[in-house]
Amino acid sequence: MWPNSSSSSFLLTGFPGLETSHHWISTPLFFVYISVFFGNGTLLLLIKEDHNLHEPMYYFLAMLAATDLGVTLTTMPTVLGVLWLDHREIGNGACFSQAYFIHSLSFVESGVLLAMAYDRFVAIRNPLRYTSILTNTRVVKICLGVLLRGFVSVIPPIMPLYFFPYCHSHILSHAFCLHQDIIKLACVDVTFNRLYPVVLVVLILVLDSLTILLSYVLILKTVLSIASKERSKALNTCVSHICCVLVFYVTVIGLSLIHRFGKSVPHVVHLIMSYVYFLFPPLMNPIIYSVKTKQIQRGILRFFTTHRVGA
C-alpha cells in the first residue's frame, strides 16, 4: 500500500512567499484575462458577422482565437480561485482534465499556425489557384485534422494519471495542473510519461516550426521574383502571421529553456514564464491582427458603424 495514495485531490500553489500580495497580483492578471476575452471574442464575432471575412485566412484566424479562448477558460478558474479566494484544493479528475486541455490546446495552436502558414504559402505561390485549392471543404478537413492531432496525441500520457498512486506531498507548483508537475508526485515508474511528451514536442512543435520556417523561405523566394510594387503587398499579408508565430514559439522556447537550464533560477521566474506562455499569445494575437491587417480594421469599422446606425 502506497502511503497517502488514497488522496483524491491536489493542492495548487500561487506565488510562494507572496501570499499577502495575491490580491494585488490578481488585479493585472484579471485585466489580462478580460482583455483576452474581449479581443478574441471580438475577432470571432467579427469573422462570423462580416461576409467580407469569410475566407480561409480568416477561418483559420477564428480557430486561433477560439483556441486562445479555450486556453484562457481552462486556466482562469483555478488561477483566480487561488489568488482571490485561496482555494487551492482541486480534485484528481478535475486536475487531470485541466492538464489534458492545457497541453492539447497548445498543440492545437501550433497546428493552427501551421495551417495559416500553408494558407499564406498557397496565396502567394499559387494565387490563381488559391480558391480552388483552399475550398471550404478542405479548410474544414484541415481544421478537423488539427483538432484531432492535438486532442488525440495527448491522451496516452494523460490517461495513466487516473490510475497512478500518488504518495508524495500532493502539492503542485502552479495555480493550474500540468502533466510534468503531476508525474513528479507519482509513486510508480513514469518513464513512458517522461519520454512520450519529449517525442510529442519534437514531432509536433519542432516539426511545425521547421515547416513554417520552410514555407516562409519558399514564400520569400517567390516574393523576390515578382515585381517590386507587388512585393510589399505580398509580404504585408504575412506580417501578422509571422508576428503570431514569433510570439507563440518564442514563449515556448523561453519556457522550455527555463525548465531545462534554470535549476538555479528563483521559482518565481518559472511561475512568471508559465503565465507569460499561457497569457501572452492569447493577449497579443488579436492585437497584432487588429493593428496589422487592414481587412480586420475595416471589418471593425463596418461592424460598429452598422450597429451604431441600427441603434
Side-chain angles (χ1 to χ4, degrees):
M1 182 77 178
W2 296 100
N4 299 327
S5 63
S6 60
S7 176
S8 60
S9 63
F10 293 100
L11 292 178
L12 302 170
T13 302
F15 289 82
L18 299 173
E19 285 81 4
T20 57
S21 302
H22 273 182
H23 281 79
W24 294 105
I25 295 171
S26 68
T27 301
L29 282 176
F30 176 71
F31 281 110
V32 169
Y33 277 122
I34 293 299
S35 299
V36 169
F37 281 121
F38 177 77
N40 290 286
T42 300
L43 273 183
L44 285 171
L45 183 62
L46 186 64
I47 294 169
K48 176 180 178 294
E49 297 291 334
D50 194 332
H51 292 282
N52 294 304
L53 300 179
H54 289 183
E55 298 177 7
M57 173 182 173
Y58 300 107
Y59 294 147
F60 292 135
L61 178 57
M63 190 174 177
L64 182 67
T67 303
D68 286 338
L69 282 176
V71 172
T72 304
L73 286 169
T74 300
T75 59
M76 184 182 71
T78 54
V79 170
L80 294 183
V82 170
L83 297 179
W84 276 353
L85 308 172
D86 196 33
H87 182 73
R88 298 177 57 206
E89 187 172 351
I90 182 171
N92 284 7
C95 186
F96 303 151
S97 298
Q98 185 183 49
Y100 170 74
F101 283 107
I102 285 175
H103 294 297
S104 59
L105 286 170
S106 295
F107 290 132
V108 168
E109 179 138 356
S110 179
V112 175
L113 291 172
L114 177 60
M116 295 172 82
Y118 175 65
D119 169 81
R120 292 298 85 205
F121 175 80
V122 174
I124 292 175
R125 296 274 292 189
N126 296 288
L128 298 179
R129 297 184 57 215
Y130 178 74
T131 53
S132 62
I133 294 175
L134 280 173
T135 61
N136 288 340
T137 302
R138 185 159 294 173
V139 169
V140 169
K141 288 180 179 178
I142 291 173
C143 291
L144 288 176
V146 167
L147 290 173
L148 283 173
R149 187 187 70 164
F151 285 109
V152 172
S153 63
V154 179
I155 291 176
I158 296 295
M159 281 299 294
L161 298 181
Y162 288 88
F163 307 102
F164 284 165
Y166 299 94
C167 58
H168 296 295
S169 65
H170 287 259
I171 299 176
L172 302 172
S173 58
H174 295 81
F176 39 79
C177 297
L178 297 174
H179 170 264
Q180 62 266 30
D181 216 9
I182 298 169
I183 61 173
K184 291 177 183 178
L185 308 180
C187 308
V188 292
D189 182 10
V190 293
T191 302
F192 172 79
N193 280 66
R194 291 188 185 279
L195 295 179
Y196 183 88
V198 175
V199 175
L200 206 57
V201 166
V202 171
L203 291 178
I204 293 182
L205 295 183
V206 175
L207 283 182
D208 282 0
S209 60
L210 290 176
T211 305
I212 291 171
L213 178 61
L214 176 62
S215 70
Y216 272 105
V217 169
L218 296 174
I219 285 172
L220 185 60
K221 183 179 177 181
T222 301
V223 168
L224 292 176
S225 67
I226 63 179
S228 57
K229 290 183 179 180
E230 298 296 322
R231 287 179 188 173
S232 59
K233 183 179 178 181
L235 287 174
N236 281 338
T237 65
C238 301
V239 170
S240 299
H241 177 250
I242 292 172
C243 291
C244 290
V245 168
L246 290 175
V247 165
F248 178 75
Y249 285 106
V250 167
T251 54
V252 168
I253 293 170
L255 185 63
S256 300
L257 290 176
I258 285 290
H259 280 308
R260 179 67 180 84
F261 302 107
K263 304 298 182 183
S264 60
V265 175
H267 182 60
V268 69
V269 177
H270 289 259
L271 291 176
I272 291 172
M273 277 304 301
S274 66
Y275 284 104
V276 169
Y277 171 69
F278 288 116
L279 290 175
F280 191 59
L283 175 66
M284 292 304 299
N285 288 343
I287 294 174
I288 290 169
Y289 270 91
S290 298
V291 171
K292 292 291 185 181
T293 309
K294 291 182 179 179
Q295 291 92 330
I296 295 291
Q297 294 171 2
R298 292 169 187 158
I300 292 173
L301 289 174
R302 280 193 298 268
F303 179 79
F304 285 107
T305 301
T306 301
H307 282 71
R308 187 181 300 170
V309 172

